[in-house]
Amino acid sequence: MRLHEYQARELLTQAGVPVPASEVISTVDEAVAAYKKIGERVVVKAQVFAGGRGKAGFVKLCASESEVKDAAQFMLSNKMVSKQTGPDGIEVKKLLIAAAVDIESEYYVGMVIDRAKNTPVMMVSREGGVEIEEVAARNPDAIIKEWLHPHLGLQPFQLGKLIGALGFTEKAQIKSTRLALLGIADIFLKYDASLAEINPLVRTTAGEVLAIDAKMTFDDNALFRHKDLLGMHDPAGEDPNELRAKEHDLSYIALDGNIGCLVNGAGLAMSTMDIIKLHGGEPANFLDVGGSVTTEGAVEAFKIILSDSKVKGILVNIFGGIAKCDVIAAALIQAATQIGFKVPVVVRLEGTNVEKAREMLEAAKIDQLIPASDLTDAAKKVCAAV
Ligand code: GDP
Ligand code: MN
Protein backbone atom coordinates (compact mmCIF):
# COMPACT_ATOMS: atom_id res chain seq x y z
CA MET A 1 0.00 0.00 0.00
CA ARG A 2 1.22 3.43 -0.94
CA LEU A 3 0.58 6.74 0.84
CA HIS A 4 0.00 10.14 -0.70
CA GLU A 5 2.56 12.83 0.01
CA TYR A 6 0.23 14.64 2.42
CA GLN A 7 -0.26 11.43 4.41
CA ALA A 8 3.47 10.70 4.42
CA ARG A 9 4.04 14.24 5.69
CA GLU A 10 1.65 13.51 8.57
CA LEU A 11 3.67 10.44 9.55
CA LEU A 12 6.91 12.44 9.29
CA THR A 13 5.49 15.17 11.52
CA GLN A 14 4.36 12.57 14.07
CA ALA A 15 7.86 11.09 13.99
CA GLY A 16 9.40 14.49 14.77
CA VAL A 17 10.77 15.34 11.31
CA PRO A 18 10.72 19.07 10.48
CA VAL A 19 8.19 19.61 7.67
CA PRO A 20 6.80 22.96 6.40
CA ALA A 21 3.15 23.79 7.25
CA SER A 22 0.61 22.52 4.73
CA GLU A 23 -3.03 21.71 4.06
CA VAL A 24 -4.67 19.22 1.73
CA ILE A 25 -7.64 20.48 -0.32
CA SER A 26 -9.89 19.36 -3.15
CA THR A 27 -11.46 22.56 -4.57
CA VAL A 28 -10.16 25.89 -5.89
CA ASP A 29 -11.94 27.80 -3.10
CA GLU A 30 -10.29 25.63 -0.47
CA ALA A 31 -6.94 26.25 -2.15
CA VAL A 32 -7.38 30.01 -1.82
CA ALA A 33 -8.48 29.67 1.82
CA ALA A 34 -5.44 27.52 2.59
CA TYR A 35 -3.19 30.05 0.85
CA LYS A 36 -4.55 32.86 3.04
CA LYS A 37 -3.81 30.79 6.14
CA ILE A 38 -0.35 29.53 5.18
CA GLY A 39 1.28 32.63 3.82
CA GLU A 40 2.62 34.74 1.03
CA ARG A 41 4.46 32.03 -0.89
CA VAL A 42 3.17 28.52 -1.23
CA VAL A 43 3.78 25.51 -3.41
CA VAL A 44 0.71 23.83 -4.94
CA LYS A 45 1.30 20.09 -5.39
CA ALA A 46 -0.85 17.41 -7.03
CA GLN A 47 -1.49 14.47 -4.69
CA VAL A 48 -1.19 11.52 -7.05
CA PHE A 49 0.55 8.17 -6.99
CA ALA A 50 3.25 9.09 -9.48
CA GLY A 51 6.51 10.96 -9.31
CA GLY A 52 7.93 13.45 -11.76
CA ARG A 53 5.28 15.99 -10.76
CA GLY A 54 7.77 18.85 -10.84
CA LYS A 55 8.68 18.28 -14.49
CA ALA A 56 5.02 17.69 -15.44
CA GLY A 57 4.02 21.11 -14.11
CA PHE A 58 2.08 19.72 -11.16
CA VAL A 59 4.30 21.28 -8.49
CA LYS A 60 3.90 25.05 -8.76
CA LEU A 61 5.35 27.86 -6.71
CA CYS A 62 2.75 30.60 -6.21
CA ALA A 63 3.14 34.05 -4.69
CA SER A 64 -0.38 35.45 -4.98
CA GLU A 65 -4.01 34.48 -4.60
CA SER A 66 -4.57 34.55 -8.37
CA GLU A 67 -1.54 32.32 -9.00
CA VAL A 68 -2.85 29.80 -6.48
CA LYS A 69 -6.28 29.95 -8.09
CA ASP A 70 -4.83 29.33 -11.58
CA ALA A 71 -2.55 26.52 -10.43
CA ALA A 72 -5.35 24.77 -8.51
CA GLN A 73 -7.78 25.21 -11.39
CA PHE A 74 -5.26 23.79 -13.84
CA MET A 75 -4.26 20.79 -11.71
CA LEU A 76 -7.82 19.82 -10.75
CA SER A 77 -9.08 19.94 -14.33
CA ASN A 78 -6.18 18.40 -16.27
CA LYS A 79 -4.69 14.92 -16.15
CA MET A 80 -1.07 14.75 -15.12
CA VAL A 81 1.24 13.04 -17.59
CA SER A 82 4.75 12.17 -16.44
CA LYS A 83 7.34 9.49 -17.10
CA GLN A 84 5.69 7.40 -14.38
CA THR A 85 2.02 7.75 -15.43
CA GLY A 86 2.00 6.45 -19.00
CA PRO A 87 0.62 8.50 -21.91
CA ASP A 88 -2.99 8.54 -20.61
CA GLY A 89 -2.00 10.39 -17.46
CA ILE A 90 -3.86 10.40 -14.14
CA GLU A 91 -6.62 12.49 -12.65
CA VAL A 92 -5.83 14.79 -9.75
CA LYS A 93 -8.43 14.93 -6.98
CA LYS A 94 -6.46 16.48 -4.13
CA LEU A 95 -3.82 19.16 -3.84
CA LEU A 96 -1.37 20.01 -1.14
CA ILE A 97 -0.89 23.68 -0.37
CA ALA A 98 2.43 23.90 1.46
CA ALA A 99 4.50 26.81 2.69
CA ALA A 100 7.20 27.39 0.07
CA VAL A 101 10.87 27.36 1.00
CA ASP A 102 13.93 28.96 -0.60
CA ILE A 103 16.17 26.07 -1.44
CA GLU A 104 19.94 26.19 -1.22
CA SER A 105 20.56 22.47 -1.73
CA GLU A 106 18.56 19.26 -2.09
CA TYR A 107 19.38 15.90 -0.50
CA TYR A 108 18.01 12.37 -0.60
CA VAL A 109 17.19 10.17 2.43
CA GLY A 110 15.55 6.80 2.03
CA MET A 111 15.19 3.33 3.40
CA VAL A 112 14.36 0.01 1.71
CA ILE A 113 14.93 -3.67 2.39
CA ASP A 114 18.22 -4.87 0.95
CA ARG A 115 17.12 -8.29 -0.31
CA ALA A 116 20.67 -9.53 -0.74
CA LYS A 117 21.48 -8.85 2.91
CA ASN A 118 17.96 -9.45 4.28
CA THR A 119 18.00 -6.28 6.31
CA PRO A 120 16.87 -2.66 5.97
CA VAL A 121 19.36 -0.24 4.44
CA MET A 122 19.38 3.52 4.89
CA MET A 123 20.64 5.52 1.93
CA VAL A 124 21.52 9.17 1.71
CA SER A 125 22.83 11.34 -1.10
CA ARG A 126 23.83 14.91 -1.73
CA GLU A 127 22.21 14.47 -5.14
CA GLY A 128 18.62 14.91 -4.02
CA GLY A 129 15.57 16.18 -5.86
CA VAL A 130 16.10 13.78 -8.77
CA GLU A 131 15.02 10.15 -8.89
CA ILE A 132 17.41 8.03 -6.85
CA GLU A 133 17.41 5.35 -9.58
CA GLU A 134 18.95 7.95 -11.88
CA VAL A 135 21.68 8.74 -9.36
CA ALA A 136 22.29 5.02 -8.83
CA ALA A 137 22.77 4.52 -12.58
CA ARG A 138 24.85 7.64 -13.25
CA ASN A 139 26.93 8.02 -10.10
CA PRO A 140 26.47 5.13 -7.64
CA ASP A 141 29.25 6.44 -5.37
CA ALA A 142 27.05 9.44 -4.61
CA ILE A 143 24.75 7.16 -2.57
CA ILE A 144 26.00 6.36 0.92
CA LYS A 145 24.50 3.34 2.64
CA GLU A 146 24.26 1.99 6.18
CA TRP A 147 22.68 -1.39 6.88
CA LEU A 148 20.57 -1.70 10.01
CA HIS A 149 20.89 -4.43 12.57
CA PRO A 150 17.42 -6.05 12.59
CA HIS A 151 17.00 -5.59 16.36
CA LEU A 152 19.23 -2.64 17.17
CA GLY A 153 18.03 -0.33 14.39
CA LEU A 154 19.90 2.78 13.30
CA GLN A 155 22.88 3.23 15.64
CA PRO A 156 24.35 6.58 16.72
CA PHE A 157 27.65 5.89 14.92
CA GLN A 158 25.73 5.20 11.72
CA LEU A 159 23.76 8.42 12.11
CA GLY A 160 27.05 10.27 12.50
CA LYS A 161 28.45 8.73 9.33
CA LEU A 162 25.34 9.50 7.28
CA ILE A 163 25.06 13.08 8.50
CA GLY A 164 28.77 13.54 7.80
CA ALA A 165 28.31 12.14 4.29
CA LEU A 166 25.59 14.72 3.66
CA GLY A 167 28.10 17.38 4.70
CA PHE A 168 26.21 19.02 7.55
CA THR A 169 28.44 20.68 10.13
CA GLU A 170 26.18 23.30 11.76
CA LYS A 171 24.59 22.30 15.04
CA ALA A 172 20.98 23.14 14.16
CA GLN A 173 21.27 21.48 10.76
CA ILE A 174 22.80 18.34 12.26
CA LYS A 175 19.91 18.22 14.72
CA SER A 176 17.23 18.50 12.02
CA THR A 177 18.98 15.95 9.80
CA ARG A 178 19.22 13.57 12.76
CA LEU A 179 15.48 13.93 13.26
CA ALA A 180 14.86 13.24 9.58
CA LEU A 181 17.03 10.10 9.53
CA LEU A 182 15.65 8.78 12.82
CA GLY A 183 12.11 9.59 11.68
CA ILE A 184 12.49 7.61 8.47
CA ALA A 185 14.01 4.65 10.35
CA ASP A 186 11.22 4.75 12.97
CA ILE A 187 8.43 4.88 10.40
CA PHE A 188 10.05 2.17 8.30
CA LEU A 189 10.41 -0.28 11.19
CA LYS A 190 7.22 0.59 13.08
CA TYR A 191 4.90 0.28 10.07
CA ASP A 192 6.61 -2.55 8.14
CA ALA A 193 7.42 -0.29 5.21
CA SER A 194 9.02 -1.50 2.03
CA LEU A 195 10.08 2.03 1.10
CA ALA A 196 10.24 5.28 3.07
CA GLU A 197 11.99 8.25 1.52
CA ILE A 198 12.34 11.99 1.76
CA ASN A 199 13.24 13.46 -1.63
CA PRO A 200 14.21 16.16 -1.35
CA LEU A 201 15.35 16.98 2.13
CA VAL A 202 16.40 20.58 1.68
CA ARG A 203 18.68 23.11 3.28
CA THR A 204 17.03 26.49 2.92
CA THR A 205 18.85 29.75 2.28
CA ALA A 206 17.97 30.60 5.89
CA GLY A 207 19.91 27.50 7.00
CA GLU A 208 16.99 25.32 8.02
CA VAL A 209 16.79 21.62 7.13
CA LEU A 210 13.29 20.48 6.08
CA ALA A 211 11.57 17.53 4.40
CA ILE A 212 9.54 18.82 1.43
CA ASP A 213 8.54 15.61 -0.35
CA ALA A 214 8.06 12.06 0.87
CA LYS A 215 7.14 8.70 -0.58
CA MET A 216 6.11 5.67 1.47
CA THR A 217 5.02 2.15 0.59
CA PHE A 218 4.02 -0.52 3.10
CA ASP A 219 3.97 -4.29 3.01
CA ASP A 220 0.35 -5.37 2.38
CA ASN A 221 0.93 -8.57 4.35
CA ALA A 222 1.57 -6.55 7.51
CA LEU A 223 -1.35 -4.11 7.17
CA PHE A 224 -3.51 -6.14 9.54
CA ARG A 225 -1.40 -4.88 12.40
CA HIS A 226 -1.50 -1.23 11.33
CA LYS A 227 -5.13 -0.19 11.53
CA ASP A 228 -4.12 3.48 11.43
CA LEU A 229 -2.56 2.95 7.99
CA LEU A 230 -5.63 1.11 6.68
CA GLY A 231 -7.64 4.27 7.32
CA MET A 232 -5.35 6.11 4.87
CA HIS A 233 -5.85 3.62 2.06
CA ASP A 234 -6.67 5.08 -1.37
CA PRO A 235 -7.42 2.37 -3.96
CA ALA A 236 -6.28 4.77 -6.71
CA GLY A 237 -2.77 3.74 -5.70
CA GLU A 238 -3.24 0.18 -6.78
CA ASP A 239 -2.92 -1.42 -10.14
CA PRO A 240 -6.57 -1.78 -11.28
CA ASN A 241 -5.80 -5.21 -12.69
CA GLU A 242 -4.35 -6.36 -9.37
CA LEU A 243 -7.55 -5.20 -7.61
CA ARG A 244 -9.68 -7.02 -10.18
CA ALA A 245 -7.62 -10.18 -9.76
CA LYS A 246 -7.99 -10.03 -5.98
CA GLU A 247 -11.79 -9.96 -6.37
CA HIS A 248 -11.61 -13.23 -8.33
CA ASP A 249 -9.12 -14.93 -5.99
CA LEU A 250 -6.37 -14.83 -8.57
CA SER A 251 -2.79 -13.98 -7.56
CA TYR A 252 -1.71 -11.45 -10.14
CA ILE A 253 1.28 -9.14 -10.17
CA ALA A 254 1.92 -6.82 -13.10
CA LEU A 255 5.49 -6.75 -14.46
CA ASP A 256 7.27 -4.83 -17.22
CA GLY A 257 7.66 -7.44 -20.00
CA ASN A 258 5.42 -8.35 -22.94
CA ILE A 259 4.66 -12.05 -22.43
CA GLY A 260 1.51 -12.65 -20.41
CA CYS A 261 1.54 -15.79 -18.25
CA LEU A 262 -1.43 -17.84 -17.13
CA VAL A 263 -0.36 -20.65 -14.83
CA ASN A 264 -1.83 -22.78 -12.05
CA GLY A 265 0.33 -22.85 -8.96
CA ALA A 266 2.78 -20.26 -7.64
CA GLY A 267 5.86 -22.45 -8.05
CA LEU A 268 4.92 -23.36 -11.60
CA ALA A 269 4.29 -19.66 -12.32
CA MET A 270 7.77 -18.80 -11.03
CA SER A 271 9.40 -21.47 -13.18
CA THR A 272 7.36 -20.38 -16.18
CA MET A 273 8.72 -16.84 -15.75
CA ASP A 274 12.24 -18.25 -15.39
CA ILE A 275 12.03 -20.31 -18.54
CA ILE A 276 10.63 -17.36 -20.51
CA LYS A 277 13.63 -15.32 -19.42
CA LEU A 278 15.96 -18.22 -20.20
CA HIS A 279 14.77 -18.09 -23.80
CA GLY A 280 15.22 -14.35 -24.05
CA GLY A 281 11.68 -13.15 -23.26
CA GLU A 282 10.30 -10.91 -20.51
CA PRO A 283 7.16 -11.85 -18.55
CA ALA A 284 4.41 -9.21 -18.40
CA ASN A 285 2.93 -10.63 -15.23
CA PHE A 286 2.89 -13.30 -12.61
CA LEU A 287 -0.49 -15.01 -12.57
CA ASP A 288 -1.44 -17.99 -10.48
CA VAL A 289 -5.05 -19.04 -11.15
CA GLY A 290 -4.91 -21.48 -8.24
CA GLY A 291 -5.55 -25.17 -7.96
CA SER A 292 -9.32 -25.14 -7.96
CA VAL A 293 -9.83 -22.69 -10.79
CA THR A 294 -13.26 -22.40 -12.43
CA THR A 295 -14.00 -21.53 -16.06
CA GLU A 296 -15.21 -18.07 -14.95
CA GLY A 297 -12.00 -17.47 -12.99
CA ALA A 298 -9.86 -18.48 -15.94
CA VAL A 299 -11.83 -16.30 -18.37
CA GLU A 300 -11.36 -13.37 -15.98
CA ALA A 301 -7.63 -14.15 -15.90
CA PHE A 302 -7.48 -13.93 -19.71
CA LYS A 303 -9.35 -10.64 -19.65
CA ILE A 304 -6.92 -9.20 -17.12
CA ILE A 305 -3.87 -10.30 -19.12
CA LEU A 306 -5.32 -9.08 -22.42
CA SER A 307 -6.25 -5.68 -20.99
CA ASP A 308 -2.53 -4.97 -20.56
CA SER A 309 -1.54 -3.25 -23.80
CA LYS A 310 2.10 -4.30 -23.33
CA VAL A 311 1.16 -7.97 -23.80
CA LYS A 312 2.24 -9.21 -27.23
CA GLY A 313 1.84 -12.93 -26.54
CA ILE A 314 0.56 -15.28 -23.85
CA LEU A 315 1.94 -18.47 -22.44
CA VAL A 316 -0.64 -20.75 -20.83
CA ASN A 317 1.09 -23.36 -18.71
CA ILE A 318 -1.22 -25.74 -16.88
CA PHE A 319 -0.38 -28.79 -14.92
CA GLY A 320 -3.62 -30.63 -14.34
CA GLY A 321 -3.41 -31.95 -10.82
CA ILE A 322 -6.35 -30.70 -8.81
CA ALA A 323 -7.21 -28.39 -11.71
CA LYS A 324 -8.47 -30.25 -14.75
CA CYS A 325 -6.98 -29.51 -18.15
CA ASP A 326 -10.44 -29.62 -19.74
CA VAL A 327 -11.64 -26.81 -17.45
CA ILE A 328 -8.79 -24.64 -18.69
CA ALA A 329 -9.50 -25.67 -22.28
CA ALA A 330 -13.15 -24.66 -21.83
CA ALA A 331 -12.01 -21.31 -20.42
CA LEU A 332 -9.65 -20.81 -23.35
CA ILE A 333 -12.46 -21.46 -25.80
CA GLN A 334 -14.84 -19.19 -23.90
CA ALA A 335 -12.28 -16.40 -23.65
CA ALA A 336 -11.47 -16.73 -27.34
CA THR A 337 -15.15 -16.41 -28.31
CA GLN A 338 -15.95 -13.69 -25.76
CA ILE A 339 -12.98 -11.39 -26.21
CA GLY A 340 -10.99 -12.84 -29.09
CA PHE A 341 -7.23 -13.31 -28.98
CA LYS A 342 -5.48 -10.36 -30.58
CA VAL A 343 -2.09 -11.88 -29.74
CA PRO A 344 -0.62 -15.38 -30.09
CA VAL A 345 -1.51 -17.72 -27.23
CA VAL A 346 0.86 -20.64 -26.72
CA VAL A 347 -0.68 -23.45 -24.71
CA ARG A 348 1.08 -26.18 -22.82
CA LEU A 349 -1.22 -28.55 -20.97
CA GLU A 350 -0.21 -31.65 -19.04
CA GLY A 351 -1.90 -33.91 -16.50
CA THR A 352 -5.48 -34.75 -15.59
CA ASN A 353 -7.87 -34.88 -18.59
CA VAL A 354 -5.21 -33.61 -20.97
CA GLU A 355 -6.42 -35.79 -23.86
CA LYS A 356 -9.93 -34.43 -23.58
CA ALA A 357 -8.58 -30.89 -23.37
CA ARG A 358 -6.48 -31.31 -26.52
CA GLU A 359 -9.47 -32.65 -28.42
CA MET A 360 -11.61 -29.71 -27.30
CA LEU A 361 -9.00 -27.17 -28.37
CA GLU A 362 -8.45 -28.84 -31.71
CA ALA A 363 -12.18 -28.94 -32.42
CA ALA A 364 -12.60 -25.25 -31.46
CA LYS A 365 -10.06 -24.09 -34.11
CA ILE A 366 -9.12 -20.96 -32.19
CA ASP A 367 -7.33 -18.22 -34.11
CA GLN A 368 -3.88 -17.39 -32.74
CA LEU A 369 -3.69 -20.54 -30.62
CA ILE A 370 -0.36 -22.35 -30.80
CA PRO A 371 -0.14 -25.75 -29.08
CA ALA A 372 3.16 -26.71 -27.45
CA SER A 373 4.48 -30.17 -26.66
CA ASP A 374 6.29 -29.28 -23.44
CA LEU A 375 7.38 -26.27 -21.38
CA THR A 376 10.64 -25.63 -23.26
CA ASP A 377 8.83 -25.85 -26.57
CA ALA A 378 6.16 -23.46 -25.22
CA ALA A 379 8.73 -20.92 -24.01
CA LYS A 380 10.59 -21.00 -27.33
CA LYS A 381 7.36 -20.60 -29.28
CA VAL A 382 6.04 -17.68 -27.26
CA CYS A 383 9.41 -15.87 -27.35
CA ALA A 384 9.56 -16.37 -31.12
CA ALA A 385 5.96 -15.18 -31.49
CA VAL A 386 6.50 -11.84 -29.72
P1 GDP B 1 8.22 15.35 -7.46
O1 GDP B 1 8.74 16.02 -8.71
O2 GDP B 1 6.94 14.63 -7.72
O3 GDP B 1 9.24 14.49 -6.80
O4 GDP B 1 7.84 16.54 -6.43
P2 GDP B 1 8.72 17.33 -5.34
O5 GDP B 1 7.85 17.69 -4.23
O6 GDP B 1 9.97 16.58 -4.98
O7 GDP B 1 9.11 18.66 -6.08
C1 GDP B 1 9.95 18.69 -7.23
C2 GDP B 1 10.92 19.84 -7.14
O8 GDP B 1 10.23 21.05 -7.03
C3 GDP B 1 11.83 19.78 -5.92
O9 GDP B 1 12.94 18.94 -6.13
C4 GDP B 1 12.22 21.23 -5.78
O10 GDP B 1 13.29 21.52 -6.64
C5 GDP B 1 10.98 21.97 -6.25
N1 GDP B 1 10.21 22.45 -5.08
C6 GDP B 1 9.28 21.79 -4.38
N2 GDP B 1 8.84 22.52 -3.33
C7 GDP B 1 9.53 23.69 -3.39
C8 GDP B 1 9.57 24.90 -2.58
O11 GDP B 1 8.88 25.03 -1.57
N3 GDP B 1 10.42 25.87 -2.98
C9 GDP B 1 11.22 25.76 -4.07
N4 GDP B 1 12.04 26.76 -4.36
N5 GDP B 1 11.23 24.66 -4.84
C10 GDP B 1 10.40 23.64 -4.52
MN1 MN C 1 10.23 14.39 -4.96
Side-chain angles (χ1 to χ4, degrees):
M1 181 186 124
R2 188 167 168 184
L3 289 189
H4 283 295
E5 177 195 359
Y6 76 92
Q7 298 168 320
R9 280 178 177 236
E10 278 168 29
L11 291 192
L12 287 177
T13 305
Q14 281 168 24
V17 182
V19 179
S22 67
E23 263 185 44
V24 62
I25 56 92
S26 49
T27 66
V28 176
D29 287 346
E30 287 171 1
V32 171
Y35 169 70
K36 285 180 181 158
K37 234 188 281 174
I38 290 168
E40 285 149 52
R41 289 180 58 243
V42 298
V43 51
V44 179
K45 310 177 80 176
Q47 299 299 288
V48 287
F49 290 116
R53 296 171 302 169
K55 278 187 200 150
F58 282 70
V59 171
K60 264 226 164 79
L61 283 165
C62 299
S64 70
E65 195 178 311
S66 69
E67 279 179 24
V68 170
K69 223 174 186 165
D70 289 349
Q73 183 71 51
F74 172 79
M75 290 183 202
L76 290 170
S77 52
N78 285 285
K79 285 190 173 176
M80 180 185 116
V81 181
S82 85
K83 215 169 60 184
Q84 295 184 15
T85 61
D88 293 341
I90 42 176
E91 235 179 291
V92 181
K93 297 209 174 95
K94 287 192 171 116
L95 303 175
L96 187 77
I97 312 290
V101 295
D102 290 316
I103 300 174
E104 194 169 274
S105 33
E106 305 190 38
Y107 306 88
Y108 174 90
V109 173
M111 203 154 141
V112 292
I113 298 283
D114 181 334
R115 301 213 173 252
K117 292 187 195 261
N118 296 323
T119 191
V121 58
M122 179 160 270
M123 301 174 288
V124 302
S125 177
R126 292 194 199 198
E127 297 194 24
V130 291
E131 278 174 53
I132 197 66
E133 291 84 355
E134 253 174 57
V135 182
R138 180 167 37 81
N139 186 10
D141 292 342
I143 302 171
I144 290 82
K145 299 177 181 174
E146 282 292 327
W147 287 267
L148 273 66
H149 185 288
H151 297 302
L152 302 177
L154 192 62
Q155 293 291 292
F157 78 92
Q158 296 181 303
L159 260 177
K161 271 207 249 179
L162 293 170
I163 295 169
L166 288 172
F168 291 111
T169 50
E170 255 180 57
K171 213 170 165 190
Q173 291 173 5
I174 290 176
K175 192 177 161 207
S176 299
T177 310
R178 243 181 103 79
L179 291 173
L181 268 53
L182 284 171
I184 284 291
D186 279 353
I187 291 166
F188 189 93
L189 298 174
K190 177 177 169 196
Y191 289 108
D192 299 299
S194 41
L195 166 78
E197 70 174 25
I198 299 173
N199 191 22
L201 179 77
V202 299
R203 186 173 59 189
T204 69
T205 48
E208 272 184 297
V209 172
L210 295 165
I212 66 165
D213 187 23
K215 180 172 168 184
M216 293 176 191
T217 314
F218 301 92
D219 185 342
D220 290 344
N221 294 311
L223 283 177
F224 73 94
R225 55 184 188 189
H226 304 298
K227 299 282 186 284
D228 41 344
L229 286 183
L230 277 177
M232 297 179 162
H233 181 238
D234 178 354
E238 265 150 76
D239 185 299
N241 275 340
E242 287 181 16
L243 283 177
R244 213 167 126 191
K246 220 177 269 174
E247 279 168 29
H248 291 86
D249 287 325
L250 305 164
S251 307
Y252 171 90
I253 293 158
L255 300 167
D256 295 329
N258 60 2
I259 299 178
C261 305
L262 189 153
V263 189
N264 66 326
L268 193 60
M270 297 297 281
S271 32
T272 304
M273 289 160 55
D274 278 350
I275 202 159
I276 286 173
K277 286 188 83 97
L278 182 69
H279 291 285
E282 285 292 335
N285 67 277
F286 167 96
L287 197 157
D288 169 15
V289 295
S292 51
V293 65
T294 59
T295 310
E296 292 71 40
V299 169
E300 192 61 29
F302 273 110
K303 285 186 184 164
I304 290 169
I305 294 176
L306 287 166
S307 71
D308 178 351
S309 58
K310 291 195 307 295
V311 170
K312 299 287 177 267
I314 298 179
L315 174 49
V316 177
N317 182 22
I318 299 296
F319 178 73
I322 303 167
K324 311 276 184 291
C325 290
D326 57 317
V327 170
I328 300 294
L332 263 163
I333 295 164
Q334 202 170 317
T337 28
Q338 266 186 30
I339 34 183
F341 294 149
K342 287 168 253 42
V343 298
V345 178
V346 178
V347 181
R348 181 259 180 172
L349 298 170
E350 209 56 76
T352 310
N353 296 352
V354 68
E355 295 307 332
K356 188 175 166 198
R358 286 193 182 135
E359 280 163 26
M360 286 165 70
L361 289 178
E362 214 162 295
K365 297 198 188 339
I366 301 170
D367 253 6
Q368 301 271 31
L369 193 134
I370 305 170
S373 53
D374 59 34
L375 186 46
T376 295
D377 181 46
K380 283 181 179 163
K381 279 179 173 158
V382 78
C383 288
V386 302

